Amino acid sequence: EAQVTQNPRYLITVTGKKLTVTCSQNMNHEYMSWYRQDPGLGLRQIYYSMNVEVTDKGDVPEGYKVSRKEKRNFPLILESPSPNQTSLYFCASSLTSAVTYEQYFGPGTRLTVT
Amino acid sequence: EDKVVQSPLSLVVHEGDTVTLNCSYEVTNFRSLLWYKQEKKAPTFLFMLTSSGIEKKSGRLSSILDKKELFSILNITATQTGDSAVYLCAVVQGTYKYIFGTGTRLKVLA
């Protein structure tokens, strides 16, 4: 089954404790992206990657890191989480082609930083 | 600053009504506009619009893009309670950034 998977699905952590949220896709998509979703603010792009070893900042990259060492994986790293990073996070993937820009979303990771 | 604005923010209708959701944008190097439906989980894809004036249809849903006036509309006819969701509009920029609007929350009453 074609899908994007994220782990963990739920995470409660404390300020300053480094964490990684994993994202993996099995559709051989070049493009992968991370979003955060907050009430009243919609989906905001954190980072995106056009292909292996190519990453770019989205609109809200501060406090996050990413890496793209393999095509299928795109982990999101919070080196020193703070309470304002409490949010619902989505990973997404797509082809990079003018034929379609449709993104496939993972199930989401709900992160709480206390 | 690039932005995507959706209106209305929320909408309550009765089953059988027709609704029109709006999405306007100011984005550099426009590539495409997408509509998504989000229930209590991840967004699901509805339409991709790249050219002006070409209506996309899927059942009771349809959408059209106006690249001159910089907006798109999503129409839902004969609404059902299963249409209750947040509808998201996103624009893909030239650099492949995706800019989402804040969404329109639709509630359909039986």
Side-chain angles (χ1 to χ4, degrees):
Chain A
E1 180 191 353
Q3 60 182 349
V4 179
T5 56
Q6 295 179 227
N7 282 293
R9 296 287 312 281
Y10 301 90
L11 180 60
I12 301 174
T13 190
V14 296
T15 298
K17 186 177 180 182
K18 181 179 178 179
L19 67 92
T20 299
V21 184
T22 64
C23 173
S24 183
Q25 51 92 7
N26 62 1
M27 296 169 278
N28 202 35
H29 285 164
E30 298 91 359
Y31 187 99
M32 297 186 74
S33 180
W34 277 103
Y35 297 88
R36 61 179 288 174
Q37 187 171 36
D38 302 290
L41 296 176
L43 278 164
R44 293 181 291 168
Q45 195 168 35
I46 303 171
Y47 271 96
Y48 62 99
S49 170
M50 297 288 290
N51 215 322
V52 175
E53 303 291 1
V54 180
T55 62
D56 275 297
K57 295 178 181 179
D59 286 331
V60 288
E62 297 79 17
Y64 304 94
K65 282 177 59 177
V66 293
S67 68
R68 188 93 180 273
K69 296 191 186 332
E70 303 168 281
K71 196 172 187 179
R72 62 182 291 126
N73 297 322
F74 190 45
L76 179 70
I77 302 157
L78 284 72
E79 294 267 5
S80 182
S82 62
N84 65 12
Q85 293 178 299
T86 292
S87 188
L88 177 60
Y89 291 85
F90 287 104
C91 180
S93 73
S94 69
L95 296 169
T96 46
S97 161
V99 173
T100 179
Y101 297 104
E102 175 187 353
Q103 288 200 305
Y104 295 79
F105 284 83
T109 294
R110 188 165 292 281
L111 172 66
T112 302
V113 183
T114 61
Chain B
E1 181 188 342
D2 296 322
K3 60 182 178 181
V4 175
V5 178
Q6 292 187 244
S7 64
L9 290 179
S10 65
L11 194 54
V12 180
V13 300
H14 289 91
E15 272 194 319
D17 288 349
T18 294
V19 298
T20 298
L21 310 183
N22 303 290
C23 176
S24 64
Y25 61 92
E26 292 177 31
V27 174
T28 52
N29 297 322
F30 173 94
R31 283 186 181 270
S32 188
L33 184 146
L34 300 101
W35 285 97
Y36 284 86
K37 177 182 182 182
Q38 186 177 25
E39 297 168 273
K40 294 186 190 300
K41 47 191 175 171
T44 54
F45 174 77
L46 293 174
F47 297 112
M48 183 182 88
L49 301 145
T50 303
S51 301
S52 274
I54 299 174
E55 185 181 45
K56 294 286 185 85
K57 290 196 73 163
S58 177
R60 296 176 294 102
L61 278 66
S62 64
S63 184
I64 198 161
L65 173 68
D66 185 328
K67 290 171 73 174
K68 183 179 177 186
E69 300 297 329
L70 308 183
F71 77 92
S72 173
I73 60 172
L74 175 67
N75 280 318
I76 309 175
T77 59
T79 51
Q80 303 171 356
T81 55
D83 295 326
S84 296
V86 175
Y87 290 84
L88 299 168
C89 171
V91 172
V92 188
Q93 257 193 325
T95 55
Y96 288 94
K97 276 177 68 173
Y98 283 67
I99 302 170
F100 279 79
T102 54
T104 293
R105 184 175 297 277
L106 173 66
K107 187 172 178 65
V108 182
L109 303 175

